[in-house]
Short mmCIF file of all heavy atoms in Angstrom, two decimals:
data_model
loop_
_atom_site.label_atom_id
_atom_site.label_comp_id
_atom_site.label_asym_id
_atom_site.label_seq_id
_atom_site.Cartn_x
_atom_site.Cartn_y
_atom_site.Cartn_z
N SER A 1 -0.18 -11.75 2.28
CA SER A 1 -0.66 -12.61 3.35
C SER A 1 -2.15 -12.67 3.45
O SER A 1 -2.68 -13.32 4.35
CB SER A 1 -0.08 -12.06 4.75
OG SER A 1 -0.45 -10.64 4.90
N GLY A 2 -2.83 -12.03 2.51
CA GLY A 2 -4.28 -12.25 2.39
C GLY A 2 -5.13 -11.14 2.82
O GLY A 2 -6.31 -10.98 2.47
N GLN A 3 -4.58 -10.08 3.53
CA GLN A 3 -5.39 -8.99 3.99
C GLN A 3 -5.57 -7.90 2.88
O GLN A 3 -4.74 -7.90 1.94
CB GLN A 3 -4.77 -8.31 5.24
CG GLN A 3 -4.60 -9.23 6.42
CD GLN A 3 -3.48 -10.22 6.37
OE1 GLN A 3 -2.62 -10.10 5.52
NE2 GLN A 3 -3.47 -11.24 7.24
N GLY A 4 -6.47 -7.11 3.04
CA GLY A 4 -6.68 -6.03 2.04
C GLY A 4 -7.60 -4.94 2.49
O GLY A 4 -8.40 -5.12 3.53
N THR A 5 -7.59 -3.79 1.89
CA THR A 5 -8.46 -2.66 2.18
C THR A 5 -8.38 -1.71 1.02
O THR A 5 -7.87 -2.05 -0.05
CB THR A 5 -8.01 -2.01 3.50
OG1 THR A 5 -8.96 -0.95 3.84
CG2 THR A 5 -6.65 -1.39 3.38
N ILE A 6 -8.88 -0.52 1.19
CA ILE A 6 -8.78 0.60 0.25
C ILE A 6 -8.39 1.84 0.98
O ILE A 6 -8.59 1.90 2.26
CB ILE A 6 -10.13 0.82 -0.52
CG1 ILE A 6 -11.30 1.08 0.49
CG2 ILE A 6 -10.46 -0.32 -1.44
CD1 ILE A 6 -12.60 1.48 -0.18
N THR A 7 -7.92 2.76 0.24
CA THR A 7 -7.63 4.12 0.85
C THR A 7 -8.92 4.82 1.08
O THR A 7 -9.96 4.66 0.31
CB THR A 7 -6.70 4.91 0.00
OG1 THR A 7 -7.31 5.15 -1.26
CG2 THR A 7 -5.37 4.21 -0.20
N ASN A 8 -8.97 5.77 2.06
CA ASN A 8 -10.22 6.53 2.24
C ASN A 8 -10.12 7.81 1.30
O ASN A 8 -9.22 7.85 0.52
CB ASN A 8 -10.35 6.95 3.75
CG ASN A 8 -9.19 7.76 4.31
OD1 ASN A 8 -8.47 8.39 3.52
ND2 ASN A 8 -9.07 7.77 5.55
N ALA A 9 -11.05 8.70 1.55
CA ALA A 9 -11.07 9.88 0.64
C ALA A 9 -9.84 10.72 0.81
O ALA A 9 -9.49 11.51 -0.16
CB ALA A 9 -12.34 10.71 1.05
N ASP A 10 -9.15 10.61 1.90
CA ASP A 10 -7.85 11.41 2.10
C ASP A 10 -6.68 10.61 1.61
O ASP A 10 -5.55 11.09 1.82
CB ASP A 10 -7.69 11.79 3.56
CG ASP A 10 -8.75 12.77 4.07
OD1 ASP A 10 -9.36 13.43 3.17
OD2 ASP A 10 -9.07 12.73 5.26
N GLY A 11 -6.85 9.40 1.05
CA GLY A 11 -5.74 8.62 0.60
C GLY A 11 -5.08 7.76 1.62
O GLY A 11 -4.09 7.12 1.35
N ASP A 12 -5.64 7.68 2.81
CA ASP A 12 -5.07 6.98 3.96
C ASP A 12 -5.59 5.51 3.95
O ASP A 12 -6.72 5.28 3.69
CB ASP A 12 -5.29 7.65 5.30
CG ASP A 12 -4.74 9.03 5.38
OD1 ASP A 12 -3.58 9.23 4.84
OD2 ASP A 12 -5.39 9.93 5.93
N PHE A 13 -4.72 4.61 4.49
CA PHE A 13 -5.20 3.21 4.68
C PHE A 13 -4.48 2.72 5.95
O PHE A 13 -3.43 3.14 6.31
CB PHE A 13 -4.94 2.29 3.50
CG PHE A 13 -3.52 1.97 3.26
CD1 PHE A 13 -2.90 0.85 3.87
CD2 PHE A 13 -2.74 2.72 2.36
CE1 PHE A 13 -1.59 0.53 3.68
CE2 PHE A 13 -1.38 2.35 2.16
CZ PHE A 13 -0.81 1.29 2.79
N ARG A 14 -5.09 1.67 6.54
CA ARG A 14 -4.48 1.04 7.71
C ARG A 14 -5.13 -0.36 7.81
O ARG A 14 -6.35 -0.58 7.74
CB ARG A 14 -4.80 1.79 9.01
CG ARG A 14 -4.29 1.18 10.27
CD ARG A 14 -4.40 2.12 11.49
NE ARG A 14 -5.76 2.62 11.66
CZ ARG A 14 -6.05 3.79 12.17
NH1 ARG A 14 -5.09 4.57 12.58
NH2 ARG A 14 -7.30 4.15 12.32
N PHE A 15 -4.26 -1.40 8.02
CA PHE A 15 -4.76 -2.74 8.26
C PHE A 15 -3.57 -3.52 8.84
O PHE A 15 -2.43 -3.11 8.87
CB PHE A 15 -5.32 -3.38 7.01
CG PHE A 15 -4.29 -3.64 5.93
CD1 PHE A 15 -3.96 -4.93 5.58
CD2 PHE A 15 -3.75 -2.59 5.17
CE1 PHE A 15 -3.09 -5.21 4.59
CE2 PHE A 15 -2.85 -2.88 4.19
CZ PHE A 15 -2.50 -4.18 3.86
N VAL A 16 -3.85 -4.75 9.25
CA VAL A 16 -2.82 -5.58 9.95
C VAL A 16 -2.47 -6.64 8.89
O VAL A 16 -3.29 -7.34 8.30
CB VAL A 16 -3.43 -6.29 11.24
CG1 VAL A 16 -2.40 -7.21 11.79
CG2 VAL A 16 -3.86 -5.25 12.21
N ALA A 17 -1.11 -6.86 8.73
CA ALA A 17 -0.60 -7.80 7.75
C ALA A 17 0.64 -8.44 8.35
O ALA A 17 1.24 -7.99 9.30
CB ALA A 17 -0.27 -7.17 6.44
N ALA A 18 1.04 -9.54 7.75
CA ALA A 18 2.24 -10.26 8.17
C ALA A 18 3.47 -9.39 7.89
O ALA A 18 3.56 -8.69 6.92
CB ALA A 18 2.37 -11.65 7.47
N ASP A 19 4.46 -9.51 8.81
CA ASP A 19 5.66 -8.68 8.68
C ASP A 19 6.38 -9.00 7.37
O ASP A 19 7.22 -8.15 6.93
CB ASP A 19 6.50 -8.83 9.92
CG ASP A 19 7.63 -7.85 10.00
OD1 ASP A 19 7.39 -6.65 9.76
OD2 ASP A 19 8.76 -8.27 10.19
N THR A 20 6.29 -10.27 6.93
CA THR A 20 7.05 -10.65 5.72
C THR A 20 6.26 -10.43 4.43
O THR A 20 6.71 -10.81 3.36
CB THR A 20 7.37 -12.17 5.90
OG1 THR A 20 6.15 -12.91 6.09
CG2 THR A 20 8.32 -12.38 7.06
N ALA A 21 5.09 -9.89 4.51
CA ALA A 21 4.25 -9.74 3.37
C ALA A 21 4.69 -8.61 2.46
O ALA A 21 5.48 -7.72 2.86
CB ALA A 21 2.78 -9.51 3.77
N HIS A 22 4.23 -8.59 1.25
CA HIS A 22 4.37 -7.54 0.29
C HIS A 22 3.00 -6.84 0.17
O HIS A 22 1.96 -7.50 0.19
CB HIS A 22 4.89 -8.00 -1.06
CG HIS A 22 6.33 -8.27 -1.09
ND1 HIS A 22 6.94 -9.23 -0.35
CD2 HIS A 22 7.30 -7.65 -1.80
CE1 HIS A 22 8.29 -9.21 -0.59
NE2 HIS A 22 8.54 -8.24 -1.46
N VAL A 23 3.01 -5.57 -0.03
CA VAL A 23 1.79 -4.76 -0.25
C VAL A 23 1.73 -4.29 -1.70
O VAL A 23 2.67 -3.75 -2.21
CB VAL A 23 1.75 -3.53 0.70
CG1 VAL A 23 0.52 -2.77 0.49
CG2 VAL A 23 1.79 -3.97 2.19
N ARG A 24 0.55 -4.57 -2.24
CA ARG A 24 0.31 -4.14 -3.65
C ARG A 24 -0.69 -3.03 -3.70
O ARG A 24 -1.77 -3.18 -3.14
CB ARG A 24 -0.17 -5.37 -4.45
CG ARG A 24 -0.43 -5.04 -5.94
CD ARG A 24 -0.86 -6.32 -6.69
NE ARG A 24 -0.98 -6.06 -8.08
CZ ARG A 24 -2.10 -5.67 -8.74
NH1 ARG A 24 -3.18 -5.50 -8.01
NH2 ARG A 24 -2.13 -5.56 -10.01
N ILE A 25 -0.35 -1.90 -4.27
CA ILE A 25 -1.20 -0.71 -4.26
C ILE A 25 -1.45 -0.33 -5.73
O ILE A 25 -0.52 -0.14 -6.46
CB ILE A 25 -0.59 0.47 -3.52
CG1 ILE A 25 -0.23 0.15 -2.09
CG2 ILE A 25 -1.51 1.66 -3.56
CD1 ILE A 25 0.54 1.20 -1.35
N SER A 26 -2.71 -0.34 -6.12
CA SER A 26 -3.06 -0.06 -7.52
C SER A 26 -4.20 0.96 -7.63
O SER A 26 -5.07 1.09 -6.81
CB SER A 26 -3.46 -1.32 -8.24
OG SER A 26 -4.67 -1.91 -7.64
N PHE A 27 -4.10 1.74 -8.71
CA PHE A 27 -5.14 2.75 -9.01
C PHE A 27 -5.16 2.94 -10.53
O PHE A 27 -4.06 3.06 -11.14
CB PHE A 27 -4.78 4.06 -8.26
CG PHE A 27 -5.91 5.08 -8.26
CD1 PHE A 27 -6.89 5.05 -7.26
CD2 PHE A 27 -6.02 6.00 -9.25
CE1 PHE A 27 -7.89 5.97 -7.22
CE2 PHE A 27 -7.09 6.93 -9.21
CZ PHE A 27 -8.00 6.92 -8.21
N VAL A 28 -6.34 2.93 -11.09
CA VAL A 28 -6.43 3.03 -12.57
C VAL A 28 -5.77 4.34 -13.00
O VAL A 28 -6.04 5.37 -12.52
CB VAL A 28 -7.87 2.99 -13.01
CG1 VAL A 28 -7.99 3.28 -14.49
CG2 VAL A 28 -8.52 1.66 -12.63
N GLY A 29 -4.90 4.19 -14.02
CA GLY A 29 -4.18 5.39 -14.56
C GLY A 29 -2.89 5.65 -13.96
O GLY A 29 -2.18 6.58 -14.25
N TYR A 30 -2.46 4.74 -12.96
CA TYR A 30 -1.16 4.90 -12.28
C TYR A 30 -0.42 3.55 -12.31
O TYR A 30 -1.01 2.49 -12.39
CB TYR A 30 -1.38 5.32 -10.78
CG TYR A 30 -1.88 6.74 -10.65
CD1 TYR A 30 -3.27 7.01 -10.88
CD2 TYR A 30 -1.06 7.80 -10.39
CE1 TYR A 30 -3.75 8.28 -10.76
CE2 TYR A 30 -1.53 9.06 -10.29
CZ TYR A 30 -2.83 9.30 -10.45
OH TYR A 30 -3.34 10.64 -10.35
N GLU A 31 0.93 3.65 -12.21
CA GLU A 31 1.66 2.46 -12.14
C GLU A 31 1.51 1.74 -10.81
O GLU A 31 1.58 2.34 -9.74
CB GLU A 31 3.16 2.75 -12.39
CG GLU A 31 3.39 3.32 -13.78
CD GLU A 31 4.87 3.53 -14.08
OE1 GLU A 31 5.73 3.08 -13.23
OE2 GLU A 31 5.22 4.18 -15.08
N THR A 32 1.35 0.41 -10.85
CA THR A 32 1.16 -0.37 -9.61
C THR A 32 2.48 -0.44 -8.81
O THR A 32 3.54 -0.57 -9.40
CB THR A 32 0.62 -1.75 -9.97
OG1 THR A 32 -0.62 -1.63 -10.68
CG2 THR A 32 0.47 -2.58 -8.69
N VAL A 33 2.36 -0.37 -7.53
CA VAL A 33 3.48 -0.46 -6.62
C VAL A 33 3.43 -1.72 -5.78
O VAL A 33 2.40 -2.10 -5.26
CB VAL A 33 3.57 0.80 -5.67
CG1 VAL A 33 4.53 0.54 -4.55
CG2 VAL A 33 3.90 2.02 -6.43
N ASN A 34 4.52 -2.50 -5.74
CA ASN A 34 4.66 -3.65 -4.92
C ASN A 34 5.85 -3.46 -3.95
O ASN A 34 6.96 -3.25 -4.36
CB ASN A 34 4.87 -4.86 -5.73
CG ASN A 34 3.65 -5.34 -6.47
OD1 ASN A 34 2.77 -5.94 -5.92
ND2 ASN A 34 3.64 -5.03 -7.79
N LEU A 35 5.52 -3.38 -2.62
CA LEU A 35 6.56 -3.12 -1.65
C LEU A 35 6.50 -4.08 -0.51
O LEU A 35 5.43 -4.54 -0.07
CB LEU A 35 6.37 -1.71 -1.04
CG LEU A 35 6.66 -0.48 -1.98
CD1 LEU A 35 6.17 0.74 -1.26
CD2 LEU A 35 8.14 -0.41 -2.31
N PRO A 36 7.67 -4.55 0.03
CA PRO A 36 7.62 -5.31 1.26
C PRO A 36 7.08 -4.44 2.40
O PRO A 36 7.33 -3.19 2.46
CB PRO A 36 9.14 -5.65 1.52
CG PRO A 36 9.86 -5.40 0.21
CD PRO A 36 9.04 -4.33 -0.52
N VAL A 37 6.41 -5.02 3.34
CA VAL A 37 5.85 -4.31 4.43
C VAL A 37 6.94 -3.52 5.22
O VAL A 37 6.71 -2.39 5.64
CB VAL A 37 5.12 -5.27 5.41
CG1 VAL A 37 4.82 -4.53 6.70
CG2 VAL A 37 3.80 -5.73 4.73
N SER A 38 8.11 -4.13 5.31
CA SER A 38 9.16 -3.51 6.10
C SER A 38 9.69 -2.27 5.39
O SER A 38 10.37 -1.42 6.10
CB SER A 38 10.33 -4.55 6.30
OG SER A 38 10.74 -4.97 4.95
N ARG A 39 9.47 -2.04 4.10
CA ARG A 39 9.95 -0.91 3.44
C ARG A 39 8.87 0.15 3.10
O ARG A 39 9.15 1.09 2.44
CB ARG A 39 10.59 -1.34 2.09
CG ARG A 39 11.90 -2.12 2.20
CD ARG A 39 12.37 -2.54 0.89
NE ARG A 39 12.44 -1.43 -0.09
CZ ARG A 39 12.55 -1.59 -1.46
NH1 ARG A 39 12.62 -2.78 -1.94
NH2 ARG A 39 12.63 -0.49 -2.19
N LEU A 40 7.69 -0.01 3.61
CA LEU A 40 6.61 0.85 3.36
C LEU A 40 6.82 2.15 4.09
O LEU A 40 7.02 2.17 5.32
CB LEU A 40 5.27 0.24 3.80
CG LEU A 40 4.01 0.96 3.30
CD1 LEU A 40 3.88 0.84 1.83
CD2 LEU A 40 2.79 0.32 4.00
N GLN A 41 6.80 3.29 3.39
CA GLN A 41 7.01 4.62 3.95
C GLN A 41 5.61 5.22 4.33
O GLN A 41 4.56 4.82 3.89
CB GLN A 41 7.72 5.49 2.92
CG GLN A 41 9.13 5.02 2.55
CD GLN A 41 10.01 4.96 3.67
OE1 GLN A 41 10.11 5.92 4.47
NE2 GLN A 41 10.79 3.85 3.84
N PRO A 42 5.67 6.26 5.19
CA PRO A 42 4.40 6.88 5.61
C PRO A 42 3.64 7.48 4.41
O PRO A 42 2.36 7.55 4.42
CB PRO A 42 4.86 8.01 6.53
CG PRO A 42 6.12 7.51 7.05
CD PRO A 42 6.82 6.77 6.00
N VAL A 43 4.38 7.86 3.38
CA VAL A 43 3.71 8.40 2.15
C VAL A 43 4.13 7.59 0.99
O VAL A 43 5.36 7.44 0.75
CB VAL A 43 4.04 9.90 1.94
CG1 VAL A 43 3.43 10.40 0.58
CG2 VAL A 43 3.52 10.69 3.10
N VAL A 44 3.14 7.02 0.19
CA VAL A 44 3.44 6.21 -0.96
C VAL A 44 3.09 7.08 -2.20
O VAL A 44 1.89 7.46 -2.32
CB VAL A 44 2.78 4.91 -0.94
CG1 VAL A 44 3.02 4.13 -2.22
CG2 VAL A 44 3.08 4.10 0.25
N LYS A 45 4.03 7.35 -3.09
CA LYS A 45 3.76 8.11 -4.25
C LYS A 45 3.57 7.14 -5.47
O LYS A 45 4.46 6.39 -5.81
CB LYS A 45 4.89 9.10 -4.58
CG LYS A 45 5.11 10.10 -3.38
CD LYS A 45 6.32 10.98 -3.79
CE LYS A 45 6.54 11.99 -2.68
NZ LYS A 45 7.67 12.95 -2.98
N LEU A 46 2.35 7.28 -6.06
CA LEU A 46 2.12 6.49 -7.25
C LEU A 46 2.41 7.39 -8.51
O LEU A 46 1.93 8.49 -8.58
CB LEU A 46 0.64 5.99 -7.33
CG LEU A 46 0.24 4.99 -6.30
CD1 LEU A 46 -1.11 4.43 -6.59
CD2 LEU A 46 1.18 3.88 -6.11
#
């Protein structure tokens, strides 16, 4: 839906996005994760 951010030093992130959006989380050396906002868990394991 166009929003974005980065995780902080503790790995946490927070932002506002559309309920129907998908979240893409990427980090060099890890497999990229694409999840619907509705399925996002409190802890995301890459």
Side-chain angles (χ1 to χ4, degrees):
S1 53
Q3 299 78 13
T5 185
I6 56 173
T7 59
N8 62 21
D10 294 336
D12 299 320
F13 72 88
R14 176 171 55 208
F15 68 111
V16 177
D19 191 48
T20 56
H22 280 64
V23 176
R24 181 177 186 271
I25 305 173
S26 61
F27 194 88
V28 173
Y30 292 79
E31 295 185 10
T32 299
V33 168
N34 288 281
L35 290 171
V37 166
S38 58
R39 290 178 51 196
L40 192 67
Q41 299 297 314
V43 176
V44 178
K45 299 179 180 180
L46 295 190

